[in-house]
Amino acid sequence: MALLEVKKLGISFGGLRAVDDFSMSIEKGDLYGLIGPNGAGKTTVFNLLTGVYKPTDGTIFLDGQNLTGKSITTINKAGIARTFQNIRLFSKLSVLENVKVALHQHYNYSALTGVLRLPKYFKTEKAMNERAMELLEPFDLQEDAMTLASNLPYGKQRKLEIARALATEPKLLLLDEPAAGMNPKETASLMNTILTVRDEFGVTVLLIEHDMQLVSGICEKLSVLNFGQLLCEGLTGQVLSDPEVIKAYLGE
Amino acid sequence: MKLKINPAARKSYITYGLVLAAFVAVELLLNFGSPSNMFKGLLVTFCIYSIAAASLNLTVGILGELSLGQAGFMCIGAYSSALFSVATKDSITSVWVRFPLAILIGGIFAAIFGFLIGIPVLRLRGDYLAIVTLAFGEIIKGVFASVYVGYDSAGLHFSLKSEGDLALAEGGKTLIHGPQGISGTPVDSTFEIAFIVLFISLIIIYNFINSSTGRAVMSIRDNRIAAESIGLNITKYKLMTFSLTAFLAGVAGALFSHNLSILQASKFDYNLSILILVFVVLGGIGNIRGSVIAAIVLTYIPEALRKVNSDLANYRMLIYSVILIVMMICTSNAKIRGFIVGNLQKFKGLIIRKAPAAEKEAH
């Protein structure tokens, strides 16, 4: 059975049908790409998958669990984590704290333990620090652990968002335009990072991207959205040479 | 890689040190100097306002929501603790048992109200939250200013009309005299007790901020959607912070009601909430130490101006408001702020330059 099973997903904003009859199936361990021209509804699909929007039609199943219409929090706990197209970090917290906040599902103590500074507080904080540093390591962010998130350069902010999403130990990681605004060198390093994330953390990755270098470089399968509808899906090579896809991107 | 000491934790230690140093200085002054009566009378007030301001900073600075109901929570704390003390004045004679209990009761009642009010109110954001908390503060004040409570052999009696309406039996006693409030509260708030309560409050606030709960609250402040997307329960953390703010405001209220033997609800008006918010804003939003310093300085200035000489005393509120405006400009104008911060860092550099060398020797 597929890890993520989306069937006939649809949402309307007033009269506008933003996503219509969208189905997708992602196997465990896939590195899956979702592409399409601007305004095709890619981010809307992410927002539907993570519970930011409630779908008007269709179903979403993760690992056999029905997540249709669940809250953002519930969906994250079930195992979907995401990054955002416009970076959303906790800007006034340090890099380390950004990751530590996201560890709360696996390392936690009550507020009272924290206020009274019981032994469990020190033990858990130490474990959290170690785990957070482990998560920062593949992203080369260890040196910046004490820096405020808002003071990081752009490329590192993107990486920190991925590290934070991984801290919730998701089964499926959604990356919304991870290479946006990066130069070719940064993009190349990001491609390696994404591969590392998939292989070392054992996470299935679904990403939205416009950068065709990245898409053709690491994605194994693709779905193409156009005007809110699925245009084409399949292996990357086949999809990118499909005349319909080329037409949607470049026009006739 | 070895982690340095958490900067947030360092901040809290500096604050503890400063507050302790101030306490020792005041004690020395009380024992060996000759402080004015005005100064002695203000000592407990400093502590009360410091607690109220620091706790409000939890909601305003850490949670990032504007609350104008601080006086309301102080009112609840003041009344519940004063009632407890008046009722047990004869049965519990030791101040060291009765007063901590009274403070705790004040805090708990305020926290319960904070929790109940928080459930609907925290669904609102920004201006709406401010408006509703403001209204709530006024309602609390209004209710306490018009309620009459008394007891006799038959039990407790309530009335919203007049003292006579209570229809107490012979030997009955009125506890709350409507607008006249509660009288005969034992004056238990000494500077030493108030200081201990302030110190414990600061420890609670800092430990709260520097825990996973505090981090979660700050992450909600910084980016609500991202906080939800990592699975944080927004409502839970908001309610927790709001209740803790209310608890500590109730504690401050308890100190307030035991500082004077007569307690009137009219003291807890809109102006008090705004005054405390001014402490928070001028001390720095999110800066607990700043709230304490601002509370003390801004409480002292108008009283000190009253004392200087009679000519100046007439203009003291004018001078006070000018000081407030200057402080506001200095903290919000980037150029002036940069100038002050830059000079402070130069000054710091002169003192701490030798510190890293000393640290190396220690290892």
Side-chain angles (χ1 to χ4, degrees), chain A residues 89-93 97 100-102 104 108 111 115, chain B residues 55-65 122 205 207-228 230-245 286:
Chain A
L89 287 171
F90 307 131
S91 49
K92 301 227 177 70
L93 299 185
E97 285 171 325
K100 276 166 84 177
V101 172
H104 70 102
N108 211 355
V115 168
Chain B
S55 72
L56 182 62
N57 211 342
L58 274 179
T59 294
V60 175
I62 305 302
L63 181 61
E65 299 284 8
L122 286 173
I205 291 171
N207 283 1
F208 180 81
I209 297 175
N210 297 332
S211 71
S212 64
T213 320
R215 279 195 299 269
V217 173
M218 288 188 281
S219 71
I220 293 168
R221 170 198 69 190
D222 282 356
N223 203 313
R224 211 178 75 95
I225 291 180
E228 273 182 291
I230 55 168
L232 289 173
N233 183 343
I234 309 275
T235 317
K236 177 183 132 189
Y237 288 107
K238 276 187 164 183
L239 267 182
M240 227 186 240
T241 318
F242 202 62
S243 308
L244 181 60
T245 296

Short mmCIF file of all heavy atoms in Angstrom, two decimals, chain A residues 89-93 97 100-102 104 108 111 115, chain B residues 55-65 122 205 207-228 230-245 286:
data_model
loop_
_atom_site.label_atom_id
_atom_site.label_comp_id
_atom_site.label_asym_id
_atom_site.label_seq_id
_atom_site.Cartn_x
_atom_site.Cartn_y
_atom_site.Cartn_z
N LEU A 89 10.18 30.96 9.79
CA LEU A 89 10.96 30.49 10.93
C LEU A 89 10.49 31.23 12.18
O LEU A 89 9.75 32.20 12.09
CB LEU A 89 12.44 30.78 10.70
CG LEU A 89 13.13 29.90 9.67
CD1 LEU A 89 14.52 30.42 9.37
CD2 LEU A 89 13.21 28.46 10.16
N PHE A 90 10.93 30.75 13.35
CA PHE A 90 10.66 31.49 14.58
C PHE A 90 11.81 32.47 14.72
O PHE A 90 12.86 32.17 15.27
CB PHE A 90 10.56 30.53 15.76
CG PHE A 90 9.57 29.43 15.51
CD1 PHE A 90 9.89 28.11 15.73
CD2 PHE A 90 8.30 29.73 15.04
CE1 PHE A 90 8.97 27.10 15.49
CE2 PHE A 90 7.38 28.74 14.78
CZ PHE A 90 7.72 27.42 15.01
N SER A 91 11.59 33.68 14.18
CA SER A 91 12.71 34.57 13.89
C SER A 91 13.45 35.05 15.14
O SER A 91 14.63 35.33 15.08
CB SER A 91 12.20 35.76 13.09
OG SER A 91 11.06 36.30 13.71
N LYS A 92 12.74 35.16 16.29
CA LYS A 92 13.42 35.69 17.48
C LYS A 92 14.00 34.58 18.35
O LYS A 92 14.49 34.82 19.45
CB LYS A 92 12.45 36.56 18.29
CG LYS A 92 11.91 37.73 17.49
CD LYS A 92 11.98 39.01 18.28
CE LYS A 92 11.51 40.20 17.47
NZ LYS A 92 10.05 40.17 17.23
N LEU A 93 13.94 33.34 17.87
CA LEU A 93 14.57 32.23 18.60
C LEU A 93 15.86 31.86 17.88
O LEU A 93 16.02 32.11 16.69
CB LEU A 93 13.64 31.01 18.64
CG LEU A 93 12.30 31.16 19.33
CD1 LEU A 93 11.56 29.83 19.37
CD2 LEU A 93 12.46 31.68 20.74
N GLU A 97 17.11 26.62 19.14
CA GLU A 97 15.76 26.64 19.73
C GLU A 97 14.69 26.33 18.69
O GLU A 97 13.69 25.68 18.99
CB GLU A 97 15.50 27.99 20.39
CG GLU A 97 16.23 28.17 21.70
CD GLU A 97 16.13 29.58 22.25
OE1 GLU A 97 16.12 30.54 21.45
OE2 GLU A 97 16.10 29.73 23.47
N LYS A 100 14.64 22.76 18.62
CA LYS A 100 14.19 22.19 19.90
C LYS A 100 12.67 22.29 20.08
O LYS A 100 12.05 21.39 20.63
CB LYS A 100 14.90 22.88 21.07
CG LYS A 100 16.27 22.27 21.37
CD LYS A 100 17.09 23.16 22.29
CE LYS A 100 16.75 22.93 23.75
NZ LYS A 100 17.62 23.75 24.62
N VAL A 101 12.10 23.40 19.62
CA VAL A 101 10.64 23.55 19.73
C VAL A 101 9.94 22.40 19.01
O VAL A 101 8.97 21.83 19.50
CB VAL A 101 10.18 24.89 19.10
CG1 VAL A 101 8.68 24.96 19.05
CG2 VAL A 101 10.72 26.05 19.88
N ALA A 102 10.50 22.03 17.85
CA ALA A 102 9.86 21.01 17.03
C ALA A 102 10.04 19.60 17.60
O ALA A 102 9.42 18.65 17.13
CB ALA A 102 10.39 21.07 15.61
N HIS A 104 9.08 18.66 20.47
CA HIS A 104 8.22 18.49 21.63
C HIS A 104 7.42 17.19 21.66
O HIS A 104 7.01 16.74 22.72
CB HIS A 104 7.28 19.69 21.74
CG HIS A 104 6.24 19.71 20.67
ND1 HIS A 104 4.95 19.31 20.91
CD2 HIS A 104 6.31 20.04 19.37
CE1 HIS A 104 4.28 19.41 19.78
NE2 HIS A 104 5.06 19.85 18.84
N ASN A 108 9.62 15.58 26.02
CA ASN A 108 8.81 16.62 26.65
C ASN A 108 8.76 16.47 28.15
O ASN A 108 9.00 15.41 28.70
CB ASN A 108 7.38 16.61 26.08
CG ASN A 108 6.78 18.01 26.08
OD1 ASN A 108 7.39 18.95 26.58
ND2 ASN A 108 5.60 18.14 25.53
N ALA A 111 5.00 21.87 32.07
CA ALA A 111 5.38 23.24 32.38
C ALA A 111 5.85 23.34 33.83
O ALA A 111 6.78 24.06 34.15
CB ALA A 111 4.19 24.17 32.14
N VAL A 115 9.23 24.93 35.40
CA VAL A 115 9.28 26.04 36.34
C VAL A 115 10.02 25.64 37.62
O VAL A 115 10.80 26.40 38.17
CB VAL A 115 7.85 26.53 36.67
CG1 VAL A 115 7.86 27.47 37.85
CG2 VAL A 115 7.25 27.22 35.45
N SER B 55 4.80 40.12 35.01
CA SER B 55 3.87 39.07 34.61
C SER B 55 3.08 39.49 33.36
O SER B 55 2.81 38.66 32.49
CB SER B 55 2.91 38.73 35.75
OG SER B 55 2.00 39.77 35.95
N LEU B 56 2.75 40.78 33.25
CA LEU B 56 2.05 41.23 32.05
C LEU B 56 2.95 41.06 30.83
O LEU B 56 2.49 40.77 29.72
CB LEU B 56 1.62 42.69 32.18
CG LEU B 56 0.82 43.25 30.98
CD1 LEU B 56 -0.48 42.49 30.82
CD2 LEU B 56 0.54 44.72 31.13
N ASN B 57 4.26 41.19 31.06
CA ASN B 57 5.20 41.04 29.95
C ASN B 57 5.17 39.61 29.39
O ASN B 57 5.49 39.40 28.22
CB ASN B 57 6.61 41.39 30.41
CG ASN B 57 7.44 41.99 29.29
OD1 ASN B 57 7.11 41.85 28.12
ND2 ASN B 57 8.52 42.64 29.65
N LEU B 58 4.75 38.65 30.21
CA LEU B 58 4.59 37.28 29.70
C LEU B 58 3.56 37.25 28.58
O LEU B 58 3.76 36.63 27.55
CB LEU B 58 4.14 36.35 30.82
CG LEU B 58 5.18 35.71 31.70
CD1 LEU B 58 4.49 34.85 32.75
CD2 LEU B 58 6.12 34.86 30.88
N THR B 59 2.43 37.94 28.82
CA THR B 59 1.37 37.94 27.80
C THR B 59 1.73 38.87 26.65
O THR B 59 1.56 38.52 25.48
CB THR B 59 0.03 38.37 28.44
OG1 THR B 59 -0.35 37.37 29.37
CG2 THR B 59 -1.05 38.51 27.39
N VAL B 60 2.24 40.06 26.97
CA VAL B 60 2.48 41.05 25.91
C VAL B 60 3.75 40.72 25.13
O VAL B 60 3.76 40.77 23.91
CB VAL B 60 2.57 42.47 26.52
CG1 VAL B 60 2.94 43.48 25.45
CG2 VAL B 60 1.25 42.85 27.15
N GLY B 61 4.83 40.39 25.85
CA GLY B 61 6.11 40.21 25.18
C GLY B 61 6.37 38.78 24.72
O GLY B 61 6.90 38.56 23.64
N ILE B 62 6.03 37.81 25.54
CA ILE B 62 6.38 36.43 25.23
C ILE B 62 5.30 35.78 24.36
O ILE B 62 5.57 35.13 23.38
CB ILE B 62 6.59 35.60 26.52
CG1 ILE B 62 7.62 36.28 27.42
CG2 ILE B 62 7.02 34.18 26.20
CD1 ILE B 62 8.98 36.50 26.77
N LEU B 63 4.02 36.02 24.73
CA LEU B 63 2.93 35.47 23.93
C LEU B 63 2.58 36.39 22.76
O LEU B 63 2.05 35.95 21.75
CB LEU B 63 1.71 35.26 24.83
CG LEU B 63 0.46 34.65 24.20
CD1 LEU B 63 0.75 33.27 23.67
CD2 LEU B 63 -0.67 34.59 25.20
N GLY B 64 2.90 37.69 22.92
CA GLY B 64 2.66 38.64 21.84
C GLY B 64 1.21 39.05 21.69
O GLY B 64 0.77 39.36 20.59
N GLU B 65 0.44 39.02 22.78
CA GLU B 65 -0.96 39.46 22.71
C GLU B 65 -1.14 40.64 23.67
O GLU B 65 -0.60 40.63 24.77
CB GLU B 65 -1.91 38.34 23.13
CG GLU B 65 -1.83 37.11 22.25
CD GLU B 65 -2.52 37.28 20.90
OE1 GLU B 65 -2.95 38.40 20.59
OE2 GLU B 65 -2.63 36.28 20.18
N LEU B 122 -9.02 34.30 24.07
CA LEU B 122 -7.79 34.06 23.31
C LEU B 122 -8.04 33.60 21.88
O LEU B 122 -7.12 33.41 21.11
CB LEU B 122 -6.90 33.05 24.04
CG LEU B 122 -6.23 33.63 25.28
CD1 LEU B 122 -5.51 32.57 26.07
CD2 LEU B 122 -5.26 34.74 24.91
N ILE B 205 8.86 33.26 36.33
CA ILE B 205 8.74 33.82 34.98
C ILE B 205 9.91 33.38 34.10
O ILE B 205 9.73 32.90 32.99
CB ILE B 205 8.65 35.36 35.04
CG1 ILE B 205 7.32 35.77 35.66
CG2 ILE B 205 8.81 35.98 33.65
CD1 ILE B 205 7.21 37.25 35.97
N ASN B 207 12.03 30.85 34.55
CA ASN B 207 12.05 29.40 34.32
C ASN B 207 10.99 29.00 33.30
O ASN B 207 11.20 28.08 32.51
CB ASN B 207 11.81 28.64 35.63
CG ASN B 207 13.06 28.62 36.50
OD1 ASN B 207 14.08 29.20 36.12
ND2 ASN B 207 12.98 27.98 37.63
N PHE B 208 9.87 29.71 33.35
CA PHE B 208 8.81 29.43 32.38
C PHE B 208 9.30 29.74 30.97
O PHE B 208 9.15 28.94 30.05
CB PHE B 208 7.57 30.26 32.73
CG PHE B 208 6.41 30.04 31.79
CD1 PHE B 208 5.58 28.95 31.95
CD2 PHE B 208 6.15 30.94 30.76
CE1 PHE B 208 4.51 28.75 31.09
CE2 PHE B 208 5.09 30.75 29.90
CZ PHE B 208 4.27 29.65 30.07
N ILE B 209 9.92 30.92 30.83
CA ILE B 209 10.39 31.33 29.49
C ILE B 209 11.46 30.38 28.98
O ILE B 209 11.46 29.98 27.82
CB ILE B 209 10.92 32.78 29.53
CG1 ILE B 209 9.81 33.74 29.90
CG2 ILE B 209 11.52 33.17 28.17
CD1 ILE B 209 10.27 35.16 30.08
N ASN B 210 12.39 30.00 29.88
CA ASN B 210 13.51 29.15 29.45
C ASN B 210 13.19 27.66 29.56
O ASN B 210 14.06 26.87 29.93
CB ASN B 210 14.76 29.46 30.29
CG ASN B 210 15.22 30.88 30.09
OD1 ASN B 210 14.99 31.46 29.04
ND2 ASN B 210 15.84 31.45 31.11
N SER B 211 11.95 27.29 29.30
CA SER B 211 11.61 25.87 29.30
C SER B 211 10.98 25.56 27.95
O SER B 211 10.77 26.45 27.14
CB SER B 211 10.62 25.55 30.42
OG SER B 211 9.37 26.10 30.11
N SER B 212 10.68 24.30 27.72
CA SER B 212 10.10 23.94 26.42
C SER B 212 8.76 24.66 26.24
O SER B 212 8.39 25.03 25.13
CB SER B 212 9.91 22.43 26.33
OG SER B 212 8.99 21.99 27.28
N THR B 213 8.04 24.87 27.35
CA THR B 213 6.76 25.58 27.25
C THR B 213 6.98 27.02 26.76
O THR B 213 6.27 27.49 25.87
CB THR B 213 6.07 25.62 28.62
OG1 THR B 213 6.25 24.36 29.25
CG2 THR B 213 4.62 25.93 28.49
N GLY B 214 7.97 27.69 27.37
CA GLY B 214 8.25 29.07 26.98
C GLY B 214 8.66 29.17 25.53
O GLY B 214 8.23 30.07 24.80
N ARG B 215 9.49 28.22 25.10
CA ARG B 215 9.92 28.22 23.70
C ARG B 215 8.72 28.05 22.78
O ARG B 215 8.61 28.72 21.75
CB ARG B 215 10.92 27.11 23.45
CG ARG B 215 12.33 27.42 23.87
CD ARG B 215 13.30 26.43 23.25
NE ARG B 215 13.03 25.06 23.67
CZ ARG B 215 13.57 24.49 24.73
NH1 ARG B 215 14.42 25.16 25.47
NH2 ARG B 215 13.29 23.26 25.06
N ALA B 216 7.82 27.15 23.17
CA ALA B 216 6.63 26.92 22.35
C ALA B 216 5.81 28.20 22.26
O ALA B 216 5.33 28.57 21.18
CB ALA B 216 5.81 25.79 22.94
N VAL B 217 5.65 28.89 23.40
CA VAL B 217 4.86 30.13 23.41
C VAL B 217 5.50 31.17 22.49
O VAL B 217 4.83 31.82 21.70
CB VAL B 217 4.75 30.68 24.85
CG1 VAL B 217 4.09 32.04 24.85
CG2 VAL B 217 3.97 29.72 25.72
N MET B 218 6.84 31.28 22.57
CA MET B 218 7.51 32.28 21.72
C MET B 218 7.42 31.91 20.24
O MET B 218 7.37 32.78 19.38
CB MET B 218 8.97 32.43 22.16
CG MET B 218 9.10 33.16 23.48
SD MET B 218 10.80 33.54 23.91
CE MET B 218 11.37 31.97 24.53
N SER B 219 7.42 30.59 19.96
CA SER B 219 7.33 30.20 18.56
C SER B 219 5.94 30.53 18.01
O SER B 219 5.80 30.91 16.84
CB SER B 219 7.65 28.72 18.39
OG SER B 219 6.62 27.93 18.91
N ILE B 220 4.92 30.43 18.87
CA ILE B 220 3.57 30.82 18.43
C ILE B 220 3.55 32.31 18.13
O ILE B 220 2.95 32.76 17.16
CB ILE B 220 2.54 30.45 19.52
CG1 ILE B 220 2.44 28.95 19.65
CG2 ILE B 220 1.18 31.07 19.21
CD1 ILE B 220 1.69 28.49 20.87
N ARG B 221 4.23 33.09 18.99
CA ARG B 221 4.31 34.54 18.78
C ARG B 221 5.00 34.85 17.45
O ARG B 221 4.53 35.68 16.67
CB ARG B 221 5.08 35.17 19.93
CG ARG B 221 5.45 36.63 19.71
CD ARG B 221 6.56 37.06 20.64
NE ARG B 221 7.81 36.40 20.30
CZ ARG B 221 8.91 36.44 21.05
NH1 ARG B 221 8.89 37.07 22.20
NH2 ARG B 221 10.01 35.83 20.68
N ASP B 222 6.10 34.15 17.17
CA ASP B 222 6.89 34.47 15.99
C ASP B 222 6.20 34.04 14.70
O ASP B 222 6.29 34.72 13.69
CB ASP B 222 8.27 33.80 16.07
CG ASP B 222 9.20 34.55 17.00
OD1 ASP B 222 8.78 35.61 17.49
OD2 ASP B 222 10.32 34.08 17.23
N ASN B 223 5.57 32.88 14.72
CA ASN B 223 4.89 32.43 13.50
C ASN B 223 3.87 31.35 13.84
O ASN B 223 4.20 30.19 14.03
CB ASN B 223 5.90 31.89 12.50
CG ASN B 223 5.34 31.94 11.10
OD1 ASN B 223 4.22 31.54 10.87
ND2 ASN B 223 6.12 32.46 10.18
N ARG B 224 2.61 31.78 13.87
CA ARG B 224 1.55 30.89 14.33
C ARG B 224 1.38 29.67 13.41
O ARG B 224 1.26 28.54 13.87
CB ARG B 224 0.24 31.66 14.40
CG ARG B 224 -0.71 31.20 15.46
CD ARG B 224 -1.92 32.09 15.43
NE ARG B 224 -2.74 31.74 14.28
CZ ARG B 224 -3.78 30.89 14.36
NH1 ARG B 224 -4.10 30.36 15.51
NH2 ARG B 224 -4.47 30.61 13.30
N ILE B 225 1.42 29.92 12.11
CA ILE B 225 1.18 28.82 11.18
C ILE B 225 2.29 27.78 11.25
O ILE B 225 2.05 26.57 11.28
CB ILE B 225 1.01 29.36 9.74
CG1 ILE B 225 -0.30 30.15 9.67
CG2 ILE B 225 1.00 28.23 8.73
CD1 ILE B 225 -0.59 30.75 8.33
N ALA B 226 3.55 28.28 11.34
CA ALA B 226 4.67 27.35 11.45
C ALA B 226 4.58 26.58 12.76
O ALA B 226 4.87 25.38 12.82
CB ALA B 226 5.99 28.11 11.37
N ALA B 227 4.15 27.25 13.84
CA ALA B 227 4.03 26.57 15.13
C ALA B 227 3.00 25.45 15.04
O ALA B 227 3.21 24.35 15.56
CB ALA B 227 3.63 27.58 16.20
N GLU B 228 1.88 25.72 14.35
CA GLU B 228 0.88 24.67 14.17
C GLU B 228 1.43 23.53 13.33
O GLU B 228 1.17 22.37 13.58
CB GLU B 228 -0.36 25.25 13.48
CG GLU B 228 -1.36 25.85 14.42
CD GLU B 228 -2.56 26.37 13.67
OE1 GLU B 228 -2.41 27.36 12.93
OE2 GLU B 228 -3.63 25.78 13.80
N ILE B 230 4.30 22.32 13.17
CA ILE B 230 5.14 21.35 13.86
C ILE B 230 4.37 20.69 15.00
O ILE B 230 4.95 20.07 15.89
CB ILE B 230 6.46 21.96 14.37
CG1 ILE B 230 6.17 23.16 15.26
CG2 ILE B 230 7.38 22.33 13.24
CD1 ILE B 230 7.39 23.63 16.04
N GLY B 231 3.05 20.84 14.99
CA GLY B 231 2.21 20.08 15.90
C GLY B 231 1.99 20.69 17.28
O GLY B 231 1.58 19.99 18.20
N LEU B 232 2.25 21.98 17.43
CA LEU B 232 2.02 22.60 18.74
C LEU B 232 0.53 22.91 18.92
O LEU B 232 -0.13 23.37 18.00
CB LEU B 232 2.82 23.90 18.87
CG LEU B 232 4.33 23.74 19.00
CD1 LEU B 232 4.99 25.11 18.96
CD2 LEU B 232 4.69 23.04 20.30
N ASN B 233 0.05 22.66 20.13
CA ASN B 233 -1.34 22.97 20.46
C ASN B 233 -1.43 24.44 20.91
O ASN B 233 -1.13 24.78 22.04
CB ASN B 233 -1.79 22.04 21.59
CG ASN B 233 -3.23 22.23 21.94
OD1 ASN B 233 -3.84 23.25 21.60
ND2 ASN B 233 -3.80 21.28 22.64
N ILE B 234 -1.83 25.30 19.97
CA ILE B 234 -1.79 26.74 20.19
C ILE B 234 -2.62 27.15 21.41
O ILE B 234 -2.15 27.87 22.29
CB ILE B 234 -2.31 27.49 18.95
CG1 ILE B 234 -1.60 27.00 17.69
CG2 ILE B 234 -2.20 28.98 19.12
CD1 ILE B 234 -0.31 27.62 17.39
N THR B 235 -3.85 26.67 21.46
CA THR B 235 -4.76 27.08 22.53
C THR B 235 -4.19 26.74 23.90
O THR B 235 -4.23 27.55 24.83
CB THR B 235 -6.12 26.36 22.36
OG1 THR B 235 -6.46 26.40 21.00
CG2 THR B 235 -7.19 27.02 23.16
N LYS B 236 -3.63 25.55 24.02
CA LYS B 236 -3.08 25.11 25.31
C LYS B 236 -2.00 26.07 25.81
O LYS B 236 -2.04 26.53 26.95
CB LYS B 236 -2.52 23.70 25.15
CG LYS B 236 -1.85 23.14 26.39
CD LYS B 236 -1.26 21.77 26.12
CE LYS B 236 0.17 21.68 26.62
NZ LYS B 236 0.85 20.45 26.19
N TYR B 237 -1.07 26.40 24.92
CA TYR B 237 0.04 27.26 25.34
C TYR B 237 -0.42 28.68 25.62
O TYR B 237 0.06 29.34 26.53
CB TYR B 237 1.15 27.23 24.30
CG TYR B 237 1.89 25.92 24.30
CD1 TYR B 237 1.73 25.00 23.28
CD2 TYR B 237 2.71 25.58 25.37
CE1 TYR B 237 2.39 23.79 23.30
CE2 TYR B 237 3.37 24.38 25.40
CZ TYR B 237 3.21 23.48 24.37
OH TYR B 237 3.85 22.28 24.40
N LYS B 238 -1.38 29.16 24.82
CA LYS B 238 -1.89 30.50 25.06
C LYS B 238 -2.58 30.58 26.42
O LYS B 238 -2.34 31.50 27.20
CB LYS B 238 -2.90 30.88 23.97
CG LYS B 238 -2.29 31.42 22.71
CD LYS B 238 -3.41 31.90 21.81
CE LYS B 238 -2.88 32.80 20.72
NZ LYS B 238 -3.98 33.31 19.90
N LEU B 239 -3.42 29.57 26.70
CA LEU B 239 -4.16 29.56 27.96
C LEU B 239 -3.20 29.49 29.14
O LEU B 239 -3.39 30.15 30.16
CB LEU B 239 -5.10 28.36 28.01
CG LEU B 239 -6.51 28.59 27.52
CD1 LEU B 239 -7.32 27.31 27.66
CD2 LEU B 239 -7.16 29.72 28.30
N MET B 240 -2.16 28.66 28.99
CA MET B 240 -1.19 28.48 30.06
C MET B 240 -0.53 29.82 30.41
O MET B 240 -0.43 30.19 31.57
CB MET B 240 -0.12 27.51 29.57
CG MET B 240 0.23 26.43 30.54
SD MET B 240 1.61 25.54 29.83
CE MET B 240 0.92 23.95 29.70
N THR B 241 -0.09 30.54 29.36
CA THR B 241 0.59 31.81 29.58
C THR B 241 -0.36 32.83 30.19
O THR B 241 -0.01 33.55 31.13
CB THR B 241 1.12 32.37 28.25
OG1 THR B 241 1.69 31.30 27.52
CG2 THR B 241 2.15 33.44 28.48
N PHE B 242 -1.57 32.88 29.65
CA PHE B 242 -2.55 33.85 30.14
C PHE B 242 -2.88 33.57 31.61
O PHE B 242 -2.96 34.49 32.42
CB PHE B 242 -3.81 33.76 29.27
CG PHE B 242 -4.67 34.98 29.31
CD1 PHE B 242 -4.19 36.20 28.88
CD2 PHE B 242 -5.97 34.90 29.78
CE1 PHE B 242 -4.98 37.33 28.92
CE2 PHE B 242 -6.78 36.04 29.82
CZ PHE B 242 -6.27 37.24 29.38
N SER B 243 -3.02 32.29 31.97
CA SER B 243 -3.34 31.94 33.35
C SER B 243 -2.18 32.27 34.28
O SER B 243 -2.38 32.72 35.40
CB SER B 243 -3.66 30.45 33.49
OG SER B 243 -4.62 30.08 32.57
N LEU B 244 -0.95 32.04 33.81
CA LEU B 244 0.21 32.36 34.66
C LEU B 244 0.29 33.86 34.88
O LEU B 244 0.56 34.32 36.00
CB LEU B 244 1.50 31.83 34.02
CG LEU B 244 2.77 32.07 34.82
CD1 LEU B 244 2.67 31.38 36.19
CD2 LEU B 244 4.00 31.56 34.09
N THR B 245 0.03 34.64 33.82
CA THR B 245 0.00 36.09 33.98
C THR B 245 -1.05 36.48 35.02
O THR B 245 -0.79 37.29 35.91
CB THR B 245 -0.34 36.77 32.63
OG1 THR B 245 0.73 36.49 31.72
CG2 THR B 245 -0.49 38.26 32.77
N GLY B 286 8.95 42.09 26.09
CA GLY B 286 9.69 40.83 26.11
C GLY B 286 10.91 40.87 27.02
O GLY B 286 11.57 39.87 27.23
#
